[in-house]
Amino acid sequence: MKFENSIIEIINQRTSRRAYKDLEIESSKLEKITKILKKEFTGPFGGKSRFEIINCGFDDPSEKRRLGTYGFVRGARYFIIGILNQEEKNIVDFGYNFEKIILKMTELGLGTVWLGSTFRYSQFEDCTKLKKDEYIAATSPVGYSSDKPKTYEKIISWSIGSRKRKPWSELFFIGDFSTPLTEDIAGKYATALEMVRIGPSAANKEPWRIVKEKNSDTYHFYLCLSRKQSTDELPPMKQMDMGIALSHFELTVKEQKIGGKWMKKNPNIDSTEKNHYYIASWVGK
Ligand SMILES: Cc1cc2nc3c(=O)[nH]c(=O)nc-3n(C[C@H](O)[C@H](O)[C@H](O)COP(=O)(O)O)c2cc1C
């Protein structure tokens, strides 16, 4: 996906918005969005997903729209629906693709908020043509958000602690999980790591942990869970969070003309005690 503005600025601008003006999106912009969403999306590890924009319509009373998100989102007419096939196990790639769409909507001047749990599945299912074996993995309203955050938005944001982020020392390491990585040592990768740090995550849990190899620009991405889990059953929402981390990192390094690629290259750092689960590695050139 192409961005016309600096991705660093867009990532900094993005914030969850839950109150929307009852306004239509102009047809030229809607066409652009429909075109963006039309293709099948594939992530760095081959995971496929697709996305649709739905319009809840003029006749849909605002109360009904609100109920579709249990009152968490108010006033929104349009939603982007993220769809996965039941067979698709790569949810990291879904998160990676959906976040790119969210950032593109931010660039277009539209508000969004990832909804992984606070949406009424059946209500969205009614508005979407799901194929057999497909399901809605996450959704986001998209539209013109209120100029200033409404009081109830501030309360939700405050109760989740949405404005806070963990410091570098708790997220980024060098060699193994015992030595924090400093911005100085990260050097040209410092901005990409910072863009991961300020990204959104479910309930703002920031589950990403990254270990840089000592003598190379290889960065290993781990998912940090609060308890042990089978690697085949990593929680979907946390996998989406990891996809967000991958997308922010990759978009930033690409903008900065830093070469490299994603690989599965598990360094087998002792991480079981910490409940850290290996996801992927960025191997810099
Ligand atoms: C995978 C994922 C699922 C989320 N699910 C919900 C949700 O169901 N309801 C909600 O109100 N916010 C949801 N959020 C938004 C987060 O609470 C929000 O991104 C986080 O608190 C950080 O705040 P910010 O986006 O304003 O930076 C979700 C975010 C992510 C990444």
Side-chain angles (χ1 to χ4, degrees):
M1 190 176 308
K2 284 208 178 91
F3 290 87
E4 274 130 54
N5 300 320
S6 158
I7 198 69
I8 296 165
E9 277 171 30
I10 299 170
I11 291 173
N12 271 288
Q13 261 169 29
R14 188 220 55 84
T15 177
S16 292
R17 295 308 312 271
R18 297 176 176 87
Y20 289 82
K21 296 178 189 163
D22 197 7
L23 282 180
E24 283 204 72
I25 299 176
E26 316 83 287
S27 55
S28 58
K29 216 175 247 191
L30 264 181
E31 271 171 35
K32 209 176 207 176
I33 299 172
T34 312
K35 207 169 156 199
I36 291 168
L37 302 184
K38 220 170 186 174
K39 60 172 190 145
E40 188 178 61
F41 285 76
T42 308
F45 298 102
K48 292 190 191 320
S49 35
R50 68 179 189 91
F51 300 88
E52 275 181 16
I53 184 164
I54 58 163
N55 183 349
C56 291
F58 295 106
D59 332 322
D60 189 359
S62 64
E63 189 57 21
K64 194 177 163 204
R65 279 186 246 153
R66 186 170 138 173
L67 282 175
T69 66
Y70 302 103
F72 272 77
V73 174
R74 299 187 188 173
R77 276 167 190 261
Y78 303 90
F79 287 83
I80 292 178
I81 309 288
I83 301 163
L84 278 175
N85 190 289
Q86 303 277 4
E87 297 296 308
E88 181 56 76
K89 298 298 170 220
N90 191 338
I91 314 236
V92 173
D93 278 6
F94 171 84
Y96 167 96
N97 283 319
F98 201 2
E99 181 63 2
K100 283 190 173 177
I101 292 168
I102 293 273
L103 293 172
K104 188 66 200 175
M105 297 306 115
T106 308
E107 183 180 61
L108 292 174
L110 301 169
T112 54
V113 54
W114 271 86
L115 297 177
S117 51
T118 62
F119 70 94
R120 199 184 288 264
Y121 190 90
S122 56
Q123 202 154 335
F124 285 100
E125 203 183 23
D126 284 350
C127 311
T128 321
K129 288 187 207 87
L130 290 182
K131 294 178 199 148
K132 197 175 158 270
D133 298 335
E134 281 186 334
Y135 70 101
I136 300 171
T139 175
S140 168
V142 58
Y144 292 103
S145 47
S146 61
D147 297 329
K148 283 191 189 150
K150 299 270 184 203
T151 308
Y152 81 92
E153 281 191 281
K154 287 189 195 156
I155 293 169
I156 294 172
S157 176
W158 172 81
S159 63
I160 306 170
S162 288
R163 299 271 47 87
K164 296 190 203 125
R165 293 295 189 266
K166 289 184 169 61
W168 269 58
S169 57
E170 289 180 33
L171 300 175
F172 309 137
F173 304 89
I174 181 156
D176 56 26
F177 288 103
S178 58
T179 314
L181 174 67
T182 61
E183 291 188 45
D184 267 0
I185 295 174
K188 64 180 179 182
Y189 280 92
T191 309
L193 291 166
E194 179 62 11
M195 292 307 109
V196 171
R197 194 182 77 85
I198 66 173
S201 54
N204 204 27
K205 293 282 187 215
E206 309 162 81
W208 33 73
R209 301 291 178 271
I210 303 178
V211 181
K212 181 193 179 312
E213 278 191 6
K214 271 192 177 143
N215 299 313
S216 77
D217 282 335
T218 297
Y219 287 83
H220 303 292
F221 285 61
Y222 284 81
L223 165 61
C224 171
L225 295 178
S226 52
R227 59 186 138 89
K228 257 188 207 0
Q229 196 92 30
S230 147
T231 43
D232 307 332
E233 287 166 26
L234 296 175
M237 220 83 78
K238 303 281 178 190
Q239 293 191 56
M240 291 180 203
D241 290 343
M242 290 311 297
I244 293 171
L246 265 55
S247 71
H248 282 207
F249 189 90
E250 182 198 290
L251 287 167
T252 310
V253 292
K254 282 199 172 148
E255 179 163 294
Q256 298 186 315
K257 311 256 183 295
I258 300 171
K261 59 178 177 185
W262 293 113
M263 290 179 77
K264 292 277 184 186
K265 197 172 177 248
N266 191 343
N268 295 314
I269 298 167
D270 183 18
S271 60
T272 41
E273 218 174 275
K274 290 183 180 286
N275 300 326
H276 289 170
Y277 295 85
Y278 174 76
I279 301 291
S281 304
W282 174 264
V283 181
K285 272 192 210 145

XYZ file of all heavy atoms in Angstrom, residues 56-134:
648
model
N -23.742 1.583 7.132
C -24.925 1.184 7.912
C -26.178 1.888 7.426
O -27.282 1.524 7.807
C -24.714 1.480 9.389
S -23.476 0.402 10.096
N -25.997 2.918 6.584
C -27.147 3.510 5.894
C -27.879 4.567 6.682
O -27.749 4.675 7.896
N -28.653 5.340 5.930
C -29.419 6.430 6.544
C -30.531 5.895 7.436
O -30.876 6.486 8.436
C -30.087 7.292 5.462
C -29.104 7.999 4.609
C -28.865 7.579 3.306
C -28.411 9.096 5.095
C -27.970 8.248 2.514
C -27.503 9.759 4.296
C -27.281 9.332 2.997
N -31.142 4.757 7.003
C -32.340 4.294 7.724
C -31.983 3.602 9.026
O -32.844 3.370 9.851
C -33.144 3.279 6.913
C -32.992 3.454 5.443
O -32.925 4.633 5.056
O -32.926 2.438 4.726
N -30.699 3.273 9.163
C -30.315 2.540 10.356
C -30.280 3.510 11.544
O -29.449 4.397 11.587
C -28.914 1.943 10.106
C -28.526 0.982 11.194
O -29.329 0.803 12.119
O -27.427 0.432 11.114
N -31.216 3.390 12.460
C -31.231 4.368 13.548
C -29.909 4.343 14.315
O -29.309 3.284 14.489
C -32.384 3.901 14.442
C -32.870 2.634 13.889
C -32.179 2.320 12.617
N -29.476 5.523 14.734
C -28.151 5.608 15.357
C -28.054 4.679 16.569
O -27.013 4.133 16.865
C -27.845 7.034 15.767
O -28.756 7.441 16.751
N -29.204 4.467 17.215
C -29.169 3.602 18.402
C -28.761 2.174 18.030
O -27.993 1.525 18.716
C -30.558 3.613 19.053
C -30.628 2.942 20.412
C -29.663 3.537 21.425
O -29.226 4.681 21.248
O -29.322 2.831 22.379
N -29.238 1.730 16.834
C -28.915 0.377 16.382
C -27.415 0.281 16.069
O -26.737 -0.662 16.437
C -29.752 0.040 15.143
C -29.730 -1.440 14.809
C -30.635 -1.726 13.637
C -30.286 -3.087 13.040
N -30.692 -3.151 11.649
N -26.917 1.336 15.398
C -25.483 1.339 15.055
C -24.641 1.285 16.312
O -23.633 0.621 16.399
C -25.137 2.626 14.318
C -25.505 2.566 12.871
C -24.991 3.805 12.201
N -26.075 4.633 11.750
C -26.008 5.949 11.593
N -24.911 6.581 11.875
N -27.029 6.616 11.170
N -25.103 2.034 17.296
C -24.370 2.102 18.552
C -24.361 0.739 19.240
O -23.353 0.302 19.770
C -25.099 3.144 19.404
C -24.452 3.472 20.671
C -25.177 4.677 21.224
N -25.369 4.494 22.643
C -25.858 5.437 23.421
N -26.206 6.596 22.940
N -25.993 5.217 24.704
N -25.527 0.057 19.155
C -25.624 -1.258 19.802
C -24.660 -2.257 19.174
O -24.148 -3.143 19.842
C -27.052 -1.797 19.679
C -28.052 -1.193 20.642
C -29.448 -1.714 20.343
C -27.680 -1.499 22.084
N -24.401 -2.078 17.876
C -23.481 -2.967 17.173
C -22.097 -2.966 17.775
O -21.302 -3.870 17.543
N -21.793 -1.936 18.547
C -20.475 -1.869 19.198
C -20.645 -1.765 20.719
O -19.752 -1.272 21.409
C -19.671 -0.661 18.689
O -20.333 0.524 19.120
C -19.523 -0.661 17.188
N -21.775 -2.200 21.208
C -22.089 -2.151 22.643
C -21.934 -0.736 23.205
O -21.549 -0.552 24.358
C -21.190 -3.112 23.433
C -21.300 -4.547 22.982
C -20.326 -5.127 22.201
C -22.405 -5.314 23.340
C -20.418 -6.438 21.779
C -22.518 -6.624 22.923
C -21.530 -7.173 22.141
O -21.639 -8.466 21.729
N -22.165 0.266 22.366
C -22.073 1.651 22.836
C -20.664 2.198 22.881
O -20.456 3.358 23.211
N -19.673 1.372 22.511
C -18.291 1.854 22.543
C -18.031 2.880 21.434
O -17.182 3.744 21.576
C -17.300 0.689 22.392
C -16.939 0.063 23.708
C -17.821 -0.792 24.343
C -15.734 0.346 24.318
C -17.511 -1.363 25.562
C -15.412 -0.219 25.535
C -16.300 -1.076 26.157
N -18.760 2.712 20.305
C -18.577 3.627 19.187
C -19.913 4.301 18.918
O -20.945 3.635 18.849
C -18.107 2.861 17.928
C -18.065 3.782 16.719
C -16.741 2.248 18.172
N -19.888 5.626 18.774
C -21.149 6.329 18.564
C -21.102 7.167 17.295
O -20.099 7.827 17.031
C -21.443 7.233 19.764
C -21.563 6.385 21.022
C -22.010 7.161 22.209
N -21.899 6.304 23.396
C -22.080 6.721 24.631
N -22.376 7.991 24.865
N -21.955 5.882 25.639
N -22.191 7.118 16.550
C -22.348 7.998 15.384
C -21.778 7.465 14.087
O -22.033 8.051 13.041
N -21.019 6.383 14.119
C -20.346 5.938 12.888
C -21.335 5.306 11.913
O -22.204 4.541 12.311
C -19.254 4.933 13.217
N -21.205 5.649 10.644
C -22.017 5.043 9.587
C -21.267 3.925 8.886
O -21.856 2.990 8.385
C -22.254 6.051 8.472
C -23.334 6.972 8.653
C -23.181 8.064 7.607
N -24.126 9.081 7.946
C -25.309 9.194 7.363
N -25.624 8.417 6.369
N -26.154 10.097 7.754
N -19.967 4.109 8.738
C -19.172 3.184 7.934
C -18.280 2.346 8.828
O -17.731 2.845 9.820
C -18.259 3.957 6.971
C -18.985 4.888 6.059
C -19.216 6.218 6.432
C -19.441 4.455 4.813
C -19.876 7.085 5.583
C -20.103 5.329 3.960
C -20.321 6.645 4.356
O -20.987 7.497 3.518
N -18.131 1.105 8.435
C -17.209 0.215 9.149
C -16.372 -0.548 8.141
O -16.884 -0.954 7.101
C -17.978 -0.791 10.019
C -18.586 -0.173 11.249
C -19.807 0.477 11.177
C -17.920 -0.227 12.466
C -20.355 1.069 12.310
C -18.469 0.359 13.604
C -19.694 1.015 13.519
N -15.099 -0.739 8.471
C -14.276 -1.646 7.667
C -14.298 -2.978 8.395
O -14.059 -3.046 9.609
C -12.836 -1.110 7.519
C -12.871 0.150 6.662
C -11.933 -2.168 6.877
C -11.540 0.811 6.468
N -14.634 -4.001 7.633
C -14.779 -5.332 8.216
C -13.584 -6.164 7.768
O -13.320 -6.265 6.576
C -16.076 -6.007 7.664
C -17.288 -5.089 7.812
C -16.331 -7.355 8.314
C -17.789 -4.919 9.193
N -12.886 -6.730 8.712
C -11.729 -7.574 8.403
C -12.155 -9.035 8.433
O -12.665 -9.527 9.452
N -11.958 -9.726 7.313
C -12.521 -11.076 7.155
C -11.423 -12.120 6.967
O -10.489 -11.921 6.183
C -13.473 -11.102 5.935
C -14.601 -10.070 6.156
C -14.050 -12.485 5.698
C -15.361 -9.703 4.906
N -11.564 -13.218 7.669
C -10.610 -14.328 7.545
C -11.351 -15.617 7.214
O -12.507 -15.791 7.618
C -9.877 -14.544 8.871
C -8.679 -13.638 9.162
C -8.166 -13.911 10.564
C -7.574 -13.865 8.140
N -10.659 -16.510 6.536
C -11.178 -17.852 6.323
C -10.878 -18.658 7.594
O -9.834 -18.460 8.200
C -10.480 -18.481 5.110
C -11.149 -19.766 4.705
O -11.052 -20.771 5.404
N -11.842 -19.733 3.585
N -11.793 -19.544 7.942
C -11.605 -20.370 9.163
C -10.284 -21.143 9.124
O -9.691 -21.417 10.152
C -12.738 -21.402 9.299
C -14.128 -20.834 9.339
C -14.525 -20.348 10.725
O -13.728 -20.373 11.647
N -15.757 -19.880 10.862
N -9.847 -21.467 7.899
C -8.611 -22.257 7.749
C -7.355 -21.413 7.938
O -6.263 -21.948 8.108
C -8.548 -22.860 6.325
C -9.652 -23.832 5.988
C -9.587 -25.057 6.865
O -8.514 -25.651 6.932
O -10.628 -25.388 7.485
N -7.491 -20.095 7.845
C -6.330 -19.207 7.900
C -5.854 -19.069 9.352
O -6.535 -18.485 10.184
C -6.698 -17.825 7.329
C -5.560 -16.832 7.309
C -4.338 -17.341 6.562
O -4.360 -17.357 5.312
O -3.388 -17.745 7.260
N -4.682 -19.620 9.616
C -4.203 -19.602 11.001
C -3.249 -18.439 11.262
O -2.850 -18.182 12.389
C -3.503 -20.939 11.339
C -4.420 -22.154 11.233
C -5.598 -22.070 12.214
C -6.641 -23.157 11.947
N -8.017 -22.702 12.071
N -2.849 -17.758 10.195
C -1.868 -16.691 10.357
C -2.544 -15.356 10.672
O -2.820 -14.540 9.801
C -1.027 -16.569 9.087
C 0.161 -15.673 9.322
O 0.152 -14.856 10.241
N 1.179 -15.826 8.514
N -2.791 -15.156 11.956
C -3.536 -13.954 12.358
C -2.581 -12.765 12.491
O -2.997 -11.611 12.460
C -4.288 -14.244 13.676
C -4.972 -15.589 13.566
C -5.225 -13.104 14.054
C -6.368 -15.724 13.771
N -1.290 -13.045 12.632
C -0.298 -11.965 12.664
C -0.389 -11.188 11.345
O -0.426 -9.954 11.324
C 1.131 -12.525 12.870
C 2.169 -11.427 12.734
C 1.257 -13.213 14.232
N -0.458 -11.916 10.250
C -0.532 -11.277 8.937
C -1.819 -10.466 8.779
O -1.842 -9.428 8.122
C -0.441 -12.327 7.814
C 1.010 -12.725 7.538
O 1.895 -12.281 8.291
O 1.252 -13.473 6.572
N -2.891 -10.950 9.389
C -4.152 -10.186 9.349
C -3.948 -8.833 10.046
O -4.329 -7.784 9.528
C -5.274 -10.977 10.039
C -6.531 -10.185 10.229
C -7.456 -10.079 9.196
C -6.779 -9.506 11.422
C -8.611 -9.316 9.362
C -7.932 -8.741 11.588
C -8.850 -8.649 10.562
N -3.317 -8.869 11.232
C -3.065 -7.629 11.985
C -2.188 -6.674 11.188
O -2.428 -5.463 11.152
N -1.182 -7.242 10.533
C -0.248 -6.466 9.702
C -1.019 -5.732 8.593
O -0.830 -4.541 8.372
C 0.764 -7.463 9.140
C 1.654 -7.008 8.021
C 2.936 -6.536 8.299
C 1.249 -7.104 6.686
C 3.777 -6.150 7.268
C 2.086 -6.715 5.659
C 3.349 -6.248 5.952
O 4.180 -5.868 4.925
N -1.924 -6.446 7.938
C -2.668 -5.828 6.832
C -3.710 -4.825 7.311
O -3.876 -3.761 6.722
C -3.356 -6.916 5.992
C -2.364 -7.609 5.078
O -1.503 -6.960 4.491
N -2.464 -8.925 4.981
N -4.415 -5.190 8.370
C -5.478 -4.288 8.852
C -4.852 -2.978 9.349
O -5.383 -1.896 9.115
C -6.298 -4.968 9.953
C -7.681 -4.359 10.151
C -8.141 -3.313 9.360
C -8.533 -4.850 11.130
C -9.412 -2.761 9.542
C -9.798 -4.317 11.326
C -10.237 -3.265 10.532
N -3.689 -3.065 10.018
C -3.077 -1.837 10.517
C -2.649 -0.928 9.363
O -2.769 0.294 9.455
C -1.891 -2.163 11.426
C -1.190 -0.941 12.011
C -2.044 -0.074 12.949
O -3.214 -0.411 13.206
O -1.517 0.958 13.413
N -2.188 -1.510 8.270
C -1.830 -0.672 7.115
C -3.075 0.076 6.613
O -2.998 1.238 6.244
C -1.241 -1.530 5.990
C 0.203 -1.938 6.270
C 0.818 -2.577 5.045
C 2.304 -2.821 5.257
N 2.914 -3.509 4.123
N -4.213 -0.617 6.623
C -5.463 0.026 6.189
C -5.830 1.147 7.167
O -6.206 2.253 6.766
C -6.591 -1.027 6.076
C -6.282 -1.983 4.916
C -7.949 -0.371 5.894
C -7.152 -3.226 4.877
N -5.702 0.864 8.452
C -6.017 1.867 9.483
C -5.142 3.113 9.266
O -5.621 4.250 9.333
C -5.758 1.265 10.897
C -6.750 0.134 11.189
C -5.718 2.334 11.984
C -8.063 0.519 11.790
N -3.868 2.891 8.980
C -2.953 4.026 8.785
C -3.309 4.785 7.506
O -3.201 6.010 7.455
C -1.499 3.545 8.761
C -0.987 2.991 10.107
C 0.383 2.353 9.932
C -0.930 4.078 11.181
N -3.742 4.052 6.483
C -4.151 4.724 5.242
C -5.384 5.597 5.510
O -5.486 6.716 5.006
C -4.447 3.670 4.154
C -4.684 4.232 2.790
C -3.445 4.883 2.204
C -3.770 5.843 1.079
N -2.597 6.557 0.573
N -6.314 5.089 6.334
C -7.510 5.879 6.665
C -7.099 7.134 7.441
O -7.656 8.210 7.247
C -8.516 5.053 7.507
C -9.081 3.834 6.794
S -9.826 4.208 5.206
C -8.760 3.334 4.095
N -6.106 6.991 8.303
C -5.601 8.155 9.061
C -5.057 9.184 8.074
O -5.324 10.376 8.195
C -4.482 7.709 10.036
O -4.958 6.610 10.813
C -4.054 8.835 10.967
N -4.309 8.703 7.094
C -3.757 9.620 6.085
C -4.873 10.340 5.324
O -4.737 11.504 4.966
C -2.867 8.856 5.093
C -2.227 9.768 4.086
C -1.340 9.031 3.083
O -1.844 8.163 2.348
O -0.139 9.313 3.056
N -5.998 9.639 5.129
C -7.121 10.245 4.402
C -7.948 11.176 5.302
O -9.000 11.673 4.903
C -8.033 9.156 3.819
C -7.443 8.295 2.693
C -8.399 7.167 2.319
C -7.141 9.154 1.458
N -7.494 11.363 6.528
C -8.167 12.296 7.443
C -9.360 11.679 8.149
O -10.233 12.389 8.646
N -9.412 10.334 8.200
C -10.559 9.647 8.795
C -10.196 9.008 10.127
O -9.064 8.553 10.315
C -11.070 8.572 7.823
C -11.508 9.114 6.455
C -11.744 7.980 5.470
C -12.769 9.970 6.595
N -11.163 8.977 11.022
C -10.957 8.349 12.327
C -11.208 6.853 12.257
O -11.961 6.381 11.392
N -10.581 6.120 13.152
C -10.735 4.655 13.227
C -10.557 4.223 14.686
O -10.032 4.975 15.499
C -9.638 3.915 12.419
O -8.366 4.374 12.867
C -9.765 4.115 10.925
N -10.979 3.019 14.976
C -10.546 2.342 16.212
C -10.664 0.845 15.951
O -11.699 0.363 15.473
C -11.357 2.753 17.463
C -12.858 2.589 17.290
C -10.903 1.950 18.693
N -9.606 0.132 16.207
C -9.645 -1.332 16.099
C -10.733 -1.846 17.038
O -10.743 -1.476 18.225
C -8.332 -1.897 16.604
C -7.223 -2.064 15.638
C -6.299 -1.142 15.271
C -6.875 -3.289 14.974
N -5.400 -1.716 14.405
C -5.726 -3.026 14.209
C -7.426 -4.580 14.954
C -5.104 -4.003 13.438
C -6.817 -5.545 14.181
C -5.672 -5.247 13.424
N -11.598 -2.733 16.560
C -12.555 -3.395 17.455
C -12.363 -4.899 17.299
O -12.684 -5.471 16.250
C -13.996 -3.018 17.106
C -14.386 -1.543 17.246
C -15.816 -1.338 16.794
C -14.201 -1.062 18.682
N -11.805 -5.504 18.331
C -11.579 -6.939 18.293
C -12.602 -7.678 19.124
O -12.916 -8.847 18.873
N -13.140 -6.996 20.118
C -14.110 -7.692 20.973
C -15.396 -6.920 21.162
O -16.460 -7.526 21.225
C -13.481 -8.005 22.336
O -12.914 -6.838 22.864
N -15.331 -5.580 21.232
C -16.573 -4.872 21.527
C -17.364 -4.568 20.249
O -17.624 -3.432 19.912
C -16.321 -3.558 22.309
O -15.525 -2.704 21.501
C -15.650 -3.800 23.631
N -17.688 -5.639 19.534
C -18.643 -5.471 18.427
C -19.559 -6.684 18.403
O -19.174 -7.789 18.754
C -17.940 -5.249 17.086
C -17.224 -6.439 16.508
C -17.856 -7.279 15.602
C -15.907 -6.714 16.864
C -17.189 -8.366 15.051
C -15.228 -7.795 16.316
C -15.871 -8.632 15.409
N -20.804 -6.396 18.030
C -21.805 -7.455 18.018
C -21.710 -8.182 16.671
O -22.105 -7.641 15.641
C -23.186 -6.849 18.211
C -24.223 -7.851 18.654
C -25.563 -7.165 18.721
N -25.658 -6.258 19.845
C -26.208 -6.569 21.024
N -26.714 -7.746 21.208
N -26.254 -5.685 21.991
N -21.159 -9.374 16.740
C -20.825 -10.128 15.536
C -22.021 -10.234 14.585
O -21.927 -9.935 13.410
C -20.331 -11.521 15.950
C -19.733 -12.284 14.821
C -18.373 -12.188 14.549
C -20.508 -13.095 14.002
C -17.808 -12.881 13.492
C -19.957 -13.780 12.946
C -18.607 -13.673 12.696
O -18.053 -14.341 11.653
N -23.173 -10.620 15.142
C -24.330 -10.924 14.288
C -24.767 -9.685 13.510
O -25.154 -9.775 12.347
C -25.477 -11.442 15.133
O -25.766 -10.481 16.119
N -24.672 -8.527 14.152
C -25.129 -7.318 13.490
C -24.260 -6.975 12.275
O -24.745 -6.546 11.249
C -25.113 -6.159 14.468
C -26.038 -5.079 14.021
C -26.522 -4.266 15.195
O -26.555 -4.748 16.326
N -26.873 -3.044 14.938
N -22.960 -7.189 12.398
C -22.061 -6.910 11.284
C -22.170 -7.995 10.209
O -22.084 -7.706 9.026
C -20.620 -6.767 11.768
C -20.403 -5.456 12.462
C -20.395 -5.365 13.831
C -20.250 -4.296 11.722
C -20.234 -4.140 14.463
C -20.080 -3.061 12.333
C -20.073 -2.988 13.715
N -22.387 -9.205 10.670
C -22.523 -10.326 9.737
C -23.689 -10.073 8.779
O -23.604 -10.359 7.593
C -22.782 -11.593 10.547
C -22.414 -12.862 9.848
C -22.787 -14.049 10.724
O -23.677 -13.898 11.593
O -22.204 -15.098 10.529
N -24.774 -9.480 9.320
C -25.962 -9.193 8.503
C -25.641 -8.243 7.354
O -26.302 -8.266 6.328
C -27.042 -8.518 9.368
C -27.717 -9.524 10.265
O -27.477 -10.729 10.079
O -28.466 -9.091 11.167
N -24.655 -7.352 7.546
C -24.358 -6.329 6.525
C -23.256 -6.777 5.583
O -22.822 -6.018 4.725
C -23.875 -5.039 7.182
S -24.877 -4.468 8.515
N -22.705 -7.969 5.755
C -21.535 -8.387 4.987
C -21.850 -9.678 4.248
O -22.543 -10.531 4.796
C -20.352 -8.677 5.964
O -20.384 -7.712 6.982
C -19.018 -8.649 5.270
N -21.321 -9.773 3.036
C -21.545 -11.033 2.315
C -20.387 -11.969 2.628
O -19.372 -11.973 1.925
C -21.611 -10.775 0.808
C -22.888 -10.079 0.391
C -22.975 -9.997 -1.132
C -23.798 -8.809 -1.566
N -23.044 -7.551 -1.688
N -20.520 -12.729 3.687
C -19.450 -13.663 4.037
C -19.583 -14.914 3.194
O -20.687 -15.420 2.987
C -19.547 -14.055 5.516
C -19.207 -12.981 6.549
C -19.314 -13.560 7.954
C -17.813 -12.405 6.329
N -18.410 -15.396 2.725
C -18.451 -16.667 2.002
C -18.477 -17.789 3.030
O -18.191 -17.557 4.213
C -17.198 -16.804 1.133
C -17.128 -15.786 0.022
C -15.837 -15.950 -0.768
C -15.512 -14.705 -1.564
N -14.093 -14.471 -1.728
N -18.769 -18.977 2.537
C -18.759 -20.137 3.426
C -17.365 -20.216 4.087
O -16.366 -19.936 3.425
C -19.022 -21.385 2.564
C -19.433 -22.586 3.351
C -19.790 -23.720 2.377
C -19.681 -25.037 3.084
N -18.382 -25.648 2.995
N -17.290 -20.549 5.328
C -16.019 -20.707 6.059
C -15.318 -19.393 6.382
O -14.153 -19.398 6.757
C -15.013 -21.584 5.294
C -15.534 -22.978 5.095
O -16.381 -23.395 5.904
O -15.111 -23.635 4.134
N -15.984 -18.267 6.171
C -15.352 -16.994 6.535
C -15.938 -16.472 7.835
O -17.071 -16.784 8.201
C -15.599 -15.948 5.440
C -14.695 -16.105 4.239
C -14.877 -14.962 3.252
O -15.971 -14.360 3.218
O -13.935 -14.700 2.486
